[in-house]
Amino acid sequence: GDSVTQMEGPVTLSEEAFLTINCTYTATGYPSLFWYVQYPGEGLQLLLKATKADDKGSNKGFEATYRKETTSFHLEKGSVQVSDSAVYFCALARGVLSAGNKLTFGGGTRVLVKP
Amino acid sequence: SQTIHQWPATLVQPVGSPLSLECTVEGTSNPNLYWYRQAAGRGLQLLFYSVGIGQISSEVPQNLSASRPQDRQFILSSKKLLLSDSGFYLCAWSHPGLAGRPNEQFFGPGTRLTVL
Protein backbone atom coordinates (compact mmCIF):
# COMPACT_ATOMS: atom_id res chain seq x y z
CA GLY A 1 0.00 0.00 0.00
CA ASP A 2 0.89 3.67 -0.14
CA SER A 3 3.16 5.10 2.53
CA VAL A 4 5.00 8.30 3.39
CA THR A 5 8.08 8.45 5.59
CA GLN A 6 9.32 11.64 7.19
CA MET A 7 12.32 12.33 9.34
CA GLU A 8 11.42 12.27 12.98
CA GLY A 9 11.68 15.44 14.96
CA PRO A 10 11.87 17.57 16.76
CA VAL A 11 14.14 19.65 14.60
CA THR A 12 15.54 22.61 16.53
CA LEU A 13 17.11 25.47 14.62
CA SER A 14 18.26 29.01 15.17
CA GLU A 15 16.61 31.85 13.31
CA GLU A 16 17.95 32.36 9.77
CA ALA A 17 19.24 28.76 9.61
CA PHE A 18 18.60 26.48 6.63
CA LEU A 19 15.82 23.94 7.06
CA THR A 20 15.46 20.59 5.32
CA ILE A 21 12.79 18.02 6.15
CA ASN A 22 13.18 14.74 4.32
CA CYS A 23 10.17 12.96 2.87
CA THR A 24 10.13 9.75 0.85
CA TYR A 25 7.14 7.86 -0.42
CA THR A 26 5.99 4.50 -1.72
CA ALA A 27 3.10 4.44 -4.14
CA THR A 28 2.12 2.96 -7.47
CA GLY A 29 1.70 5.21 -10.45
CA TYR A 30 2.25 8.94 -10.27
CA PRO A 31 0.84 10.40 -7.09
CA SER A 32 0.45 14.07 -6.31
CA LEU A 33 2.57 15.21 -3.38
CA PHE A 34 1.79 17.78 -0.71
CA TRP A 35 3.31 19.53 2.28
CA TYR A 36 0.96 20.70 5.01
CA VAL A 37 1.82 22.83 8.04
CA GLN A 38 0.08 22.78 11.42
CA TYR A 39 0.62 25.66 13.82
CA PRO A 40 -0.03 25.00 17.53
CA GLY A 41 -3.69 24.38 18.28
CA GLU A 42 -4.81 24.79 14.68
CA GLY A 43 -5.86 22.67 11.74
CA LEU A 44 -3.60 21.85 8.80
CA GLN A 45 -2.86 24.34 6.05
CA LEU A 46 -1.66 23.42 2.60
CA LEU A 47 1.87 24.76 2.22
CA LEU A 48 2.72 23.60 -1.29
CA LYS A 49 2.11 20.81 -3.76
CA ALA A 50 3.49 19.14 -6.89
CA THR A 51 1.51 17.01 -9.29
CA LYS A 52 4.13 15.46 -11.56
CA ALA A 53 7.80 14.51 -11.67
CA ASP A 54 10.29 17.40 -11.56
CA ASP A 55 7.58 19.88 -10.52
CA LYS A 56 8.71 22.32 -7.86
CA GLY A 57 6.16 23.56 -5.38
CA SER A 58 6.90 26.79 -3.54
CA ASN A 59 5.21 29.07 -1.04
CA LYS A 60 6.27 31.44 1.73
CA GLY A 61 9.96 30.77 1.03
CA PHE A 62 9.51 26.99 1.24
CA GLU A 63 10.30 24.76 -1.73
CA ALA A 64 10.03 21.07 -2.55
CA THR A 65 10.79 19.23 -5.79
CA TYR A 66 9.03 16.05 -6.88
CA ARG A 67 11.82 13.53 -7.52
CA LYS A 68 10.42 10.42 -9.16
CA GLU A 69 13.80 8.68 -9.40
CA THR A 70 14.38 8.89 -5.64
CA THR A 71 10.67 8.89 -4.67
CA SER A 72 11.29 11.97 -2.55
CA PHE A 73 9.73 15.37 -1.87
CA HIS A 74 12.06 17.08 0.59
CA LEU A 75 10.99 20.42 2.05
CA GLU A 76 13.54 23.25 2.23
CA LYS A 77 13.69 26.83 3.39
CA GLY A 78 16.78 28.96 3.18
CA SER A 79 16.26 31.15 6.22
CA VAL A 80 13.74 30.17 8.87
CA GLN A 81 11.95 32.50 11.25
CA VAL A 82 10.52 31.91 14.71
CA SER A 83 7.07 32.02 13.10
CA ASP A 84 7.96 28.86 11.11
CA SER A 85 7.80 26.81 14.30
CA ALA A 86 5.13 24.22 13.56
CA VAL A 87 4.55 20.59 12.64
CA TYR A 88 5.07 19.78 8.97
CA PHE A 89 3.30 16.86 7.24
CA CYS A 90 4.23 15.32 3.92
CA ALA A 91 1.37 13.60 2.09
CA LEU A 92 0.50 11.90 -1.17
CA ALA A 93 -2.68 11.18 -3.11
CA ARG A 94 -3.18 8.95 -6.12
CA GLY A 95 -6.59 10.21 -7.10
CA VAL A 96 -8.44 6.94 -6.77
CA LEU A 97 -12.00 8.15 -7.11
CA SER A 98 -13.51 5.02 -5.65
CA ALA A 99 -11.44 5.67 -2.52
CA GLY A 100 -12.55 9.27 -2.15
CA ASN A 101 -9.25 10.85 -3.18
CA LYS A 102 -7.72 9.97 0.17
CA LEU A 103 -4.45 11.43 1.35
CA THR A 104 -1.72 9.29 2.88
CA PHE A 105 0.19 11.30 5.50
CA GLY A 106 3.63 10.96 6.98
CA GLY A 107 3.97 11.06 10.75
CA GLY A 108 4.81 14.77 10.87
CA THR A 109 7.99 16.60 11.82
CA ARG A 110 7.97 19.16 14.60
CA VAL A 111 10.19 22.18 13.92
CA LEU A 112 11.21 24.61 16.62
CA VAL A 113 12.99 27.81 15.63
CA LYS A 114 14.73 29.69 18.41
CA PRO A 115 15.51 33.41 18.26
CA SER B 1 -14.43 31.49 -1.47
CA GLN B 2 -14.84 28.28 0.43
CA THR B 3 -14.79 27.99 4.20
CA ILE B 4 -15.03 25.09 6.60
CA HIS B 5 -16.40 25.30 10.12
CA GLN B 6 -16.16 22.93 13.03
CA TRP B 7 -17.79 23.07 16.41
CA PRO B 8 -17.40 22.99 19.22
CA ALA B 9 -13.78 24.12 19.38
CA THR B 10 -13.18 22.30 22.66
CA LEU B 11 -15.16 19.71 24.54
CA VAL B 12 -14.71 17.88 27.83
CA GLN B 13 -16.92 14.84 28.24
CA PRO B 14 -17.17 12.03 30.81
CA VAL B 15 -16.55 8.42 29.83
CA GLY B 16 -19.73 6.78 28.60
CA SER B 17 -21.38 10.00 27.44
CA PRO B 18 -22.51 10.58 23.84
CA LEU B 19 -20.68 12.71 21.31
CA SER B 20 -21.67 14.84 18.36
CA LEU B 21 -19.18 16.94 16.42
CA GLU B 22 -20.31 18.95 13.46
CA CYS B 23 -18.54 20.14 10.34
CA THR B 24 -19.98 22.33 7.61
CA VAL B 25 -18.52 23.60 4.37
CA GLU B 26 -19.57 26.77 2.57
CA GLY B 27 -18.96 27.97 -0.93
CA THR B 28 -18.79 24.67 -2.77
CA SER B 29 -21.06 21.80 -3.70
CA ASN B 30 -20.69 18.02 -3.68
CA PRO B 31 -17.38 18.05 -1.82
CA ASN B 32 -15.60 14.99 -0.53
CA LEU B 33 -15.60 15.15 3.27
CA TYR B 34 -13.20 13.59 5.76
CA TRP B 35 -12.86 13.09 9.53
CA TYR B 36 -9.39 12.67 11.04
CA ARG B 37 -8.19 12.15 14.57
CA GLN B 38 -4.86 13.33 15.88
CA ALA B 39 -3.76 11.94 19.22
CA ALA B 40 -1.40 14.09 21.30
CA GLY B 41 1.99 14.35 19.62
CA ARG B 42 0.97 11.88 16.93
CA GLY B 43 0.16 11.92 13.24
CA LEU B 44 -3.20 11.95 11.52
CA GLN B 45 -5.52 8.99 11.40
CA LEU B 46 -8.29 9.01 8.79
CA LEU B 47 -11.52 7.88 10.44
CA PHE B 48 -14.22 8.34 7.81
CA TYR B 49 -14.72 9.83 4.39
CA SER B 50 -17.76 10.57 2.27
CA VAL B 51 -18.13 11.22 -1.44
CA GLY B 52 -21.84 12.08 -1.29
CA ILE B 53 -24.94 12.51 0.85
CA GLY B 54 -25.62 9.43 2.92
CA GLN B 55 -22.44 7.70 1.74
CA ILE B 56 -19.90 6.94 4.49
CA SER B 57 -16.72 4.89 4.31
CA SER B 58 -15.05 3.82 7.54
CA GLU B 59 -11.30 3.43 7.69
CA VAL B 60 -10.83 1.94 11.14
CA PRO B 61 -13.11 -0.06 13.42
CA GLN B 62 -14.04 1.91 16.51
CA ASN B 63 -16.96 3.12 18.57
CA LEU B 64 -17.36 6.24 16.44
CA SER B 65 -19.75 6.74 13.54
CA ALA B 66 -20.23 9.41 10.91
CA SER B 67 -23.19 10.73 8.97
CA ARG B 68 -23.72 13.14 6.11
CA PRO B 69 -27.33 14.32 6.28
CA GLN B 70 -26.76 17.20 3.86
CA ASP B 71 -24.35 17.85 1.01
CA ARG B 72 -22.06 20.10 3.04
CA GLN B 73 -22.60 18.76 6.54
CA PHE B 74 -20.58 16.00 8.15
CA ILE B 75 -21.22 14.75 11.67
CA LEU B 76 -19.06 12.56 13.90
CA SER B 77 -20.86 10.73 16.67
CA SER B 78 -20.47 8.23 19.45
CA LYS B 79 -23.06 6.64 21.72
CA LYS B 80 -20.57 6.03 24.55
CA LEU B 81 -17.19 7.72 24.72
CA LEU B 82 -14.04 5.91 25.80
CA LEU B 83 -10.92 7.42 27.34
CA SER B 84 -9.07 6.50 24.16
CA ASP B 85 -11.37 8.76 22.14
CA SER B 86 -9.58 11.83 23.46
CA GLY B 87 -7.75 13.76 20.76
CA PHE B 88 -7.90 16.54 18.22
CA TYR B 89 -10.57 15.92 15.58
CA LEU B 90 -10.15 17.50 12.20
CA CYS B 91 -12.66 17.76 9.40
CA ALA B 92 -11.51 18.32 5.85
CA TRP B 93 -13.00 18.73 2.40
CA SER B 94 -11.78 18.47 -1.17
CA HIS B 95 -13.16 18.87 -4.65
CA PRO B 96 -14.00 15.42 -6.01
CA GLY B 97 -11.20 15.61 -8.57
CA LEU B 98 -10.56 13.39 -11.55
CA ALA B 99 -9.18 9.88 -11.66
CA GLY B 100 -5.42 10.11 -11.26
CA ARG B 101 -5.59 13.86 -10.64
CA PRO B 102 -6.27 14.30 -6.96
CA ASN B 103 -7.09 17.59 -5.34
CA GLU B 104 -5.71 18.88 -2.09
CA GLN B 105 -7.75 18.72 1.09
CA PHE B 106 -8.68 21.79 3.11
CA PHE B 107 -8.89 21.44 6.85
CA GLY B 108 -11.09 22.96 9.50
CA PRO B 109 -9.82 24.46 12.77
CA GLY B 110 -10.40 21.25 14.71
CA THR B 111 -12.17 20.18 17.90
CA ARG B 112 -10.14 19.23 20.94
CA LEU B 113 -11.95 16.46 22.80
CA THR B 114 -10.96 15.40 26.31
CA VAL B 115 -12.67 12.36 27.76
CA LEU B 116 -12.36 12.10 31.55
Side-chain angles (χ1 to χ4, degrees), chain B residues 43-113:
Chain B
L44 292 162
Q45 180 184 36
L46 179 63
L47 302 175
F48 302 95
Y49 68 90
S50 170
V51 299
I53 296 175
Q55 188 281 332
I56 307 293
S57 294
S58 174
E59 287 293 290
V60 292
Q62 59 209 320
N63 73 320
L64 298 172
S65 62
S67 62
R68 184 172 178 173
Q70 300 181 45
D71 181 43
R72 291 169 293 174
Q73 184 184 31
F74 206 24
I75 297 172
L76 184 69
S77 303
S78 174
K79 293 182 179 178
K80 290 185 178 182
L81 284 168
L82 306 173
L83 286 174
S84 58
D85 291 324
S86 292
F88 192 47
Y89 287 83
L90 290 161
C91 181
W93 74 273
S94 74
H95 292 295
L98 301 172
R101 297 181 61 184
N103 290 312
E104 59 267 38
Q105 292 181 14
F106 300 95
F107 286 77
T111 294
R112 187 160 303 284
L113 172 66

Side-chain angles (χ1 to χ4, degrees), chain A residues 47-48 57-64 75-79:
Chain A
L47 183 58
L48 52 86
S58 61
N59 186 26
K60 299 181 180 179
F62 290 90
E63 292 184 340
L75 183 68
E76 297 180 337
K77 186 175 184 181
S79 177

